[in-house]
Structure formats: C-alpha cells, structure tokens
Amino acid sequence: MGAPEPDVVISEEIRQRAETLRALLNAYNHRYYVLDDPTVSDAEYDVLFRELQAIETSHPSLLVPDSPTQRVGGAALKVFAEVRHRMPMQSLNNAFSEAELGDFDRRVRAGLGVVHDVDYVAEPKLDGLAVSLLYEQGLLVRGATRGDGTTGEDITENLRTIRRIPLRLSGGPHPALLEVRGEVFFPLAAFKKLNAEMEAKGVKLFVNPRNAAAGALRQLDPKITASRPLAFYAYAVGVSEGLGQFKTHAALLQQLKDWALPVSDLIEVVTGAEGCWQFYEAMQAKRAGLPFDIDGVVYKLDDLAGRDELGSVSRAPRWAIAHKFPAEEAETILLDVEFQIGRTGAVTPVARLKPVFVGGATVSNATLHNMDEVARKDVRIGDAVIVRRAGDVIPEVARALIDKRPADARVVQLPEACPVCGSPVAREEGEAVARCTGGLTCRAQLHAGLLHFVGRRAMDIEGFGEKLLIQLIEQDLVKSPVDLFKLDTQRLASLERLAEKSAANVVEAAEKAKSTTLGRFLFALGIRDVGESTAEALARHFGTLELLIEAAQADAPSAAAEKKKDRFPLLQAVPDVGPEVAAQLARWFTDAHHLELLTALRDVGIRWPEVPQVVIDGPLSGKTFVITGTLPESRDAVAARIEAAGGKVTGSVSAKTDFLVAGEAAGSKLAKAEKLGVAVLGWDDLSALLQSK
Ligand code: 5U1
C-alpha cells in the first residue's frame, strides 16, 4: 500500500472537525503546560490527538504548520543556520548587594530626573538559555538562540517541540510581527529523572539543569529535543510591527499572557528600591521550593517611555538589572598553586583544589586573581579554604581558614620567570597584575591570543579548538595568527587525532573567515581594553584601518599632555574611548611588530568591506546632538533627520555635545545640558536649523 491518495473534495464536516480538534488540543495543551491545570486525562487527549492525525494523514491538504501534531516535524539538520537579530539581544548588568541595588535605583531616578519612587517589574531570573521567538500574524515562524547577542542560531524545529511555546498565538488580533524573548529551562524534577536514566545507562550525567537545557536545544535532531521536557517563560518583546502602544512592561506581559504565551506567575510590580528588596528576600525564601533553578531576580523599569529616555550602555540596558543571589560556598583543601599565562601575558595564580561540589558543579580549580589578593587573603598551600561559586562565574578562593592551618603550609611565591617560556615576569607600577614579558614568543600567550583570535565574536573560525592549537604551536606550525591561514589539509591531517575530513573543514573555515568586518578584525587583535563594542565603535568612526592607524600614530606624541582630556584627541573623539583605551591603542598601533602583523594578515587575504566614513556635507556637519523628551516625531526619526543633514547623534550629554534637542517632559539630560552650557533646541529651533543652508 502506498501513501493515501490526496482527496480532491474534502467535506466541510471533516474540515471543521480538524479545526475543532486543533483548537481543543491547543487549549488542553495550554491548560496542561502553561496553566498547570489540566481539564482532560492523558487518555482523552490521546484519543483526540490520534483522530486529528488520522484526518491529516488521509487529507494532507488539511495539515497546517501550527497543528498540535506538528511539534516534531523536520528531519535532523546538518548544521544550524545563522540568524541575525534585528534588534540585539542584550544582557543584563548585575547587582550583588543591597547597596548596589540602591545605586541602580538612584541611577534610574537621576536619569529620569525624578526624586520620587518609581515602579519596577520584578521577575525571577531563570537559570536557562535566552531565546527569541518570531511570530508573523500570530504564527510561530522562527526560533533562535541568543548567540553573541547579534547573531544566534536557527533552532526553530527544536523550539517547536516545547509544549509551552504556542505554535499559534491564541485570541487576536495579532501584530504583523512580534518577537518574543524569554528563557528556555529544564524543570528540576525532569532534570533529576533524566540524570537517573543517564546513570542507569552508564553514560555521563549533566552537571546542572542549565547544561542539560543547552544540550537539548543544540541537538541537530529535533526528535532528541522533543524527548527532553524543556519549559519556557516569556519576559520581553524584541522587534514588532503593529503591536500597538503600551505604557508599561506589566501591561505588555499581560498581553503576552492573553495570547497564551507562558509568563511566570511570580512576577510582580514593586515600588522603589525598598519594593525590589522585599521581592528579592521573598524570592530567596521561595527559591528552594521552586520547580526550577533561579540564580537571582531581575528588576526592570515598568514605564516604557522612561526606558527610552534611559537607553543602554554597551550591551546592557540602563533600565534593568539582575540582582544575583549570593554565591554558594564550600570548604576544601588548597593542594597547590599554579600560574596561568593569559593573552596579554597576565600571570594569574590558579588554585588546584581537592575536588568539591559547590553551586551545582564539582570544582577542582579556582582563581586566586592576582598576587595582591593572595597576600591580602593570606592563602597558603595546604590551607583549608572556602571556595565560592556563583552561576557561570569562574569559581574563586574566598578565604583561608587560618585556624586550621597545618604547620607545613607554604607561602605562595610569584615566579620570577614565566613557567612556560622562561621570560622574566614583571609588574608595572600601579598595576596589580604581573605579566610575562615574552609576548608572542611565549607559547601560552600565543595560545590564549590565538583562541581569542579564532573565537566566535572575533574571526569566527570553527575547528581550531584548544587542543588543536596546542598541537600546532608545539610543532612550530603556528607562530602567529597569520599561520592559521597558511595551513594545508595534508599538513593538518598529519597531526595526531585529526581526520582528513576535519582537516579539510578547518582549512575551509579559515578560508571563509578571511572575509570579515573591520570591527571583528579589530576585536580579534586582542588589544588590551578593546572589547567588542569598542572595536565596533572604532570601525564605525574611522571606517578604514588606515585612518585608525593614522589617528593612533598622530595621537601618540600627545601621551604626555598635562591634562587627560588633551591626550589622544583623535582617538578620544570616538564614542566610549577614554584616555586609558586611547593610550592602549596609541601604543599598539605604533609598535613595529604589530604593524608587520597587520600587513601580513592583509597579505594572506583577510579583507572586509570598507565602510568609508559617511561625511555628509549638510547644515549640521560636525555637530553632535543628543535627543531627549517627547517630540512630535519618534526619536529614531529625529535622529535620522539630523544624520541626513550631516550631524551626529549620541546618547548622553557631555562637554562634547553641541546641541540638546529637548521635547516635552525632558528630565536629567536637560539639567545636565544647562549645567554644562550646552545649547538647547526646541522642535521649532531644530526644524529651522535643518532647513538652513
Ligand atoms: N526574567 C528575566 N530574565 N532576563 C534576562 N528578564 C530578563 N531580561 C533580560 C535578560 C537577558 O534582558 C532584557 C534586557 C530584556
């Protein structure tokens, strides 16, 4: 027997029955998975489910993507496709104490220019993975991981298997486009059951629910994901079209709930820092009894217009903060201290510990930060020590139990020579960190530098794992990043444990990575203090590598200027670049070895689209603007007008600002502009300026 013949005429009755079954099953799913309040037995559900399956099998044209039978659809994938988030998925800044919570609240109120208490939405902070769900006209069309915040992976098929995620939003009308953001997590009971099954099979257990959730989401075969009972809570909206106006985050969350999206019942609107603190304490008390892991709480300004006013710094909003629960601690023995050499040569003392279970994982290594910390804590080898671990933060040795100190405990000594390359270890004045002076001749520095260079956020070359890089360095096949692009398949395949196919993949990945962006390239260079967002800002500001080099070299002699603000004027003109970062840039780009490296990297074929500086010759050329308050047009539209006339728009008022465009209800930015003597423009003033020649 072959596949059933698709029938030409489907009776209205069958069509209606299929629709009724879908609606019923979706409603039962919602009651069971979201409201935790089932109305039918599993057996009743199964009967209806099979009936729908039977109809869809005999009448394939009735099959729709949001049918409850279609949660596990496609075949296994080979790779996940990349997804570029139209609006970056931000991370959150952290607070670890009541004082830091108070500071956050003060910053928010100062930013808004208000003295009274403001409302926050307080939410549990789930220890899972952030994802993005895209709904078009109410239909789930794409699901993605957060990735690096800008680019994630398309895991639509895996997310479709999560019963709590509606394949179609209920009710209506729905926005043309709605990106829902939230957290996928592994409920604790299911996690324990999974690990018991793994143990029975004699396979490796998951360290914690978060890792289990990550493992389940990154399966190329959605059937495996479907077998893991993942859960989801929504907590934000990303891009949207036709969503309508909401005044508060709480109202937006209620709307998501009304569309059958799961939103945690633990969420509350609280007032002021005091309200936040009470929520934090209540949640800490509830934590042990919750059916999922949380690692803190999140406070978000409820007023959405206020959020707009506050904006973001770097990759985190100013209007929200994660208040983390205290780290967990455990006692163990410090067996030894070894010294690790980082990318910039920093020599970090690392504690080798008697393994101990703390904060959800077994810890046998922990950082001791630097020698000042070792001395301050008076930690000695052989001591009983307290190890502290919070979430995904690197475990640290918190203190030594001096009462228990054995007679033969040994003082930790900073080595005079690098344990890897033998070069002298030096400590610059005023710095807590000691560094190996070997530069890239030190294999440890080379290894750390290469790992950074190939990283996802940098040159993004897949396949160069830690072990392969060690082999390449040890066999003298790679002495600088340039050599990564000169390897051939045969040479690589001759290495231990590398199959010809993998070798070919690595070579291909390196070839592909040659085409990059200037921002990524600058970040990959690993210049001290130049993180991802600074690298992007430099790329945007200078447009070409040559202009950046020119500016750094022209600025270098100004290092000795008396006033900080007179040092490195060209580099400091870049948003976010202050005198310290500028000094690092000036130093890096005047070093002959570095310039040789840049030439060699370009000779080997690394390229990026040149982004010529857009110099619009208009009435506002060379002028910097800040926009605040409510204006007749959206902030983005006003910014676009200013930029089209040659002006530049930045987020905060400083001495570099030429004009503040102030609408109604302008707050702290107006006060700051007045204090600094920055000219303030109303809407009509701006319109007149835009029209001037
Ligand atoms: N509960 C909650 N977790 N969490 C994580 N809210 C929340 N918001 C986040 C993140 C990263 O980001 C906001 C900026 C939307």
Side-chain angles (χ1 to χ4, degrees):
M1 241 175 55
E5 293 273 307
D7 47 2
V8 185
V9 185
I10 301 171
S11 79
E12 189 51 31
E13 201 182 326
I14 293 182
R15 192 185 303 281
Q16 286 227 335
R17 181 63 186 158
E19 203 176 311
T20 307
L21 287 169
R22 281 199 301 268
L24 271 176
L25 290 167
N26 277 335
Y28 293 154
N29 251 332
H30 184 245
R31 294 221 51 128
Y32 185 93
Y33 289 104
V34 180
L35 304 180
D36 207 7
D37 181 19
T39 42
V40 290
S41 67
D42 288 359
E44 282 169 282
Y45 183 93
D46 274 353
V47 168
L48 299 177
F49 189 88
R50 291 215 189 112
E51 187 187 343
L52 179 59
Q53 262 182 332
I55 296 179
E56 289 171 344
T57 312
S58 5
H59 309 288
S61 64
L62 290 180
L63 191 58
V64 288
D66 58 317
S67 169
T69 61
Q70 298 305 298
R71 287 208 175 255
V72 191
L77 300 172
K78 293 226 158 49
V79 285
F80 294 116
E82 269 192 3
V83 169
R84 215 170 157 79
H85 300 297
R86 263 170 59 186
M87 189 190 277
M89 288 184 74
Q90 295 183 303
S91 46
L92 294 166
N93 287 325
N94 292 325
F96 291 97
S97 64
E98 193 173 1
E100 285 178 10
L101 159 62
D103 291 343
F104 162 72
D105 175 56
R106 261 187 295 282
R107 279 196 304 275
V108 167
R109 285 183 298 127
L112 297 174
V114 300
V115 285
H116 59 74
D117 277 347
V118 293
D119 281 352
Y120 295 100
V121 171
E123 309 178 356
K125 186 169 184 306
L126 287 143
D127 200 6
L129 291 110
V131 298
S132 144
L133 304 173
L134 202 62
Y135 288 90
E136 273 174 17
Q137 307 290 2
L139 185 71
L140 176 67
V141 293
R142 199 203 67 197
T145 60
R146 174 179 183 278
D148 61 6
T150 312
T151 310
E153 285 176 326
D154 186 334
I155 52 161
T156 311
E157 292 307 318
N158 293 349
L159 290 172
R160 285 172 64 89
T161 69
I162 301 177
R163 306 281 162 156
R164 283 205 204 182
I165 295 181
L167 300 178
R168 178 180 288 282
L169 302 179
S170 70
H174 299 125
L177 187 73
L178 178 73
E179 185 198 5
V180 177
R181 293 177 175 177
E183 202 89 352
V184 167
F185 59 97
F186 218 114
L188 287 175
F191 171 72
K192 285 192 187 121
K193 189 161 165 259
L194 174 70
N195 258 357
E197 284 164 15
M198 304 288 249
E199 196 167 10
K201 280 193 210 152
V203 293
K204 210 168 152 218
L205 305 191
F206 286 105
V207 172
N208 54 39
R210 189 178 187 283
N211 286 10
L217 270 193
R218 293 209 73 255
Q219 292 293 333
L220 289 165
D221 184 353
K223 289 190 189 67
I224 302 180
T225 314
S227 71
R228 311 265 164 88
L230 293 170
F232 170 79
Y233 274 131
Y235 56 62
V237 166
V239 287
S240 67
E241 281 166 27
L243 175 62
Q245 291 288 325
F246 288 86
K247 274 178 83 88
T248 63
H249 181 58
L252 189 55
L253 289 180
Q254 184 57 50
Q255 175 64 85
L256 297 184
K257 237 176 170 172
D258 294 345
W259 281 328
L261 283 155
V263 174
S264 168
D265 284 338
L266 298 167
I267 296 178
E268 277 177 37
V269 177
V270 299
T271 302
E274 179 58 29
C276 291
W277 178 250
Q278 280 172 12
F279 180 84
Y280 174 83
E281 290 207 304
M283 210 48 66
Q284 220 177 358
K286 282 186 196 161
R287 184 182 185 187
L290 292 177
F292 42 75
D293 265 352
I294 61 173
D295 59 354
V297 299
V298 182
Y299 314 120
K300 298 172 179 172
L301 183 68
D302 193 24
D303 177 44
L304 298 181
R307 287 188 183 182
D308 221 16
E309 177 91 350
L310 293 174
S312 300
V313 251
S314 217
R315 284 145 39 88
R318 286 198 183 88
W319 43 262
I321 202 154
H323 190 174
K324 293 289 193 78
F325 291 139
E328 286 185 36
E329 295 190 341
E331 182 182 332
T332 187
I333 302 290
L334 177 60
L335 301 175
D336 199 1
V337 173
E338 287 174 13
F339 290 87
Q340 238 169 31
I341 314 299
R343 175 160 62 84
T344 59
V347 180
T348 305
V350 179
R352 304 290 176 217
L353 304 164
K354 185 166 162 229
V356 59
F357 193 78
V358 53
T362 302
V363 169
S364 44
N365 301 313
T367 181
L368 282 158
H369 299 291
N370 56 55
M371 291 307 286
D372 280 357
E373 281 293 292
V374 174
R376 191 178 65 75
K377 293 173 182 161
D378 188 19
V379 175
R380 301 193 190 174
I381 298 165
D383 271 349
V385 291
I386 297 295
V387 184
R388 182 188 292 156
R389 182 169 185 275
D392 44 14
V393 181
I394 300 173
E396 63 166 359
V397 173
R399 58 186 180 279
L401 301 175
I402 294 171
D403 294 349
K404 294 190 177 176
R405 175 163 290 163
D408 60 351
R410 282 183 291 132
V411 171
V412 182
Q413 300 279 4
L414 177 73
E416 284 174 13
C418 167
V420 177
C421 72
S423 302
V425 166
R427 199 161 150 174
E428 271 175 46
E429 223 182 275
E431 278 213 24
V433 177
R435 290 179 202 275
C436 154
T437 53
L440 289 188
T441 59
C442 172
R443 290 178 169 203
Q445 280 190 60
L446 178 61
H447 184 243
L450 289 174
L451 265 179
H452 172 81
F453 186 84
V454 300
R456 263 182 78 159
R457 293 170 172 183
M459 295 299 288
D460 192 17
I461 318 181
E462 241 181 84
F464 284 113
E466 261 185 61
K467 292 201 177 118
L468 175 57
L469 286 175
I470 291 177
Q471 282 196 64
L472 291 169
I473 293 169
E474 279 178 352
Q475 303 204 12
D476 277 339
L477 290 173
V478 171
K479 296 196 178 85
S480 109
V482 180
D483 298 329
L484 298 176
F485 300 96
K486 293 184 175 167
L487 294 165
D488 62 53
T489 309
Q490 265 190 351
R491 199 67 193 260
L492 270 172
S494 69
L495 295 175
E496 217 180 305
R497 275 177 282 150
L498 199 68
E500 179 123 353
K501 177 78 186 128
S502 315
N505 286 347
V506 171
V507 172
E508 197 186 316
E511 191 56 40
K512 206 171 117 211
K514 284 182 183 171
S515 171
T516 183
T517 65
L518 178 55
R520 277 177 173 273
F521 179 74
L522 291 174
F523 177 57
L525 295 175
I527 303 167
R528 253 162 83 185
D529 298 339
V530 177
E532 215 177 344
S533 63
T534 306
E536 275 305 326
L538 289 166
R540 230 176 297 125
H541 184 86
F542 289 106
T544 70
L545 180 62
E546 288 67 28
L547 284 175
L548 166 59
I549 298 175
E550 258 175 46
Q553 296 184 343
D555 265 359
S558 68
E562 201 161 307
K563 290 192 190 140
K564 267 194 177 178
K565 74 171 179 45
D566 294 336
R567 292 178 205 157
F568 319 109
L570 298 174
L571 292 168
Q572 285 208 62
V574 182
D576 294 343
V577 173
E580 278 80 22
V581 178
Q584 295 293 353
L585 288 164
R587 196 178 302 163
W588 205 94
F589 286 104
T590 45
D591 178 314
H593 291 111
H594 292 153
L595 297 175
E596 272 169 31
L597 173 69
L598 292 178
T599 308
L601 284 169
R602 298 202 82 170
D603 285 350
V604 89
I606 293 183
R607 59 198 175 271
W608 49 83
E610 294 287 331
V611 198
Q613 268 178 308
V614 191
V615 183
I616 298 173
D617 193 14
L620 309 188
S621 292
K623 300 291 180 210
T624 302
F625 291 73
V626 173
I627 307 169
T628 190
T630 311
L631 291 159
E633 290 181 9
S634 77
R635 205 166 291 223
D636 285 351
V638 179
R641 280 174 184 275
I642 293 173
E643 281 164 3
K648 201 169 103 187
V649 179
T650 64
S652 51
V653 177
S654 72
K656 294 181 196 166
T657 312
D658 293 296
F659 298 105
L660 177 78
V661 181
E664 272 181 44
S668 62
K669 287 182 185 164
L670 179 58
K672 187 157 180 202
E674 281 167 351
K675 201 168 130 204
L676 293 173
V678 171
V680 178
L681 304 176
W683 179 244
D684 293 342
D685 305 322
L686 176 68
S687 305
L689 251 190
L690 283 166
Q691 275 153 29
S692 62
K693 284 267 156 7

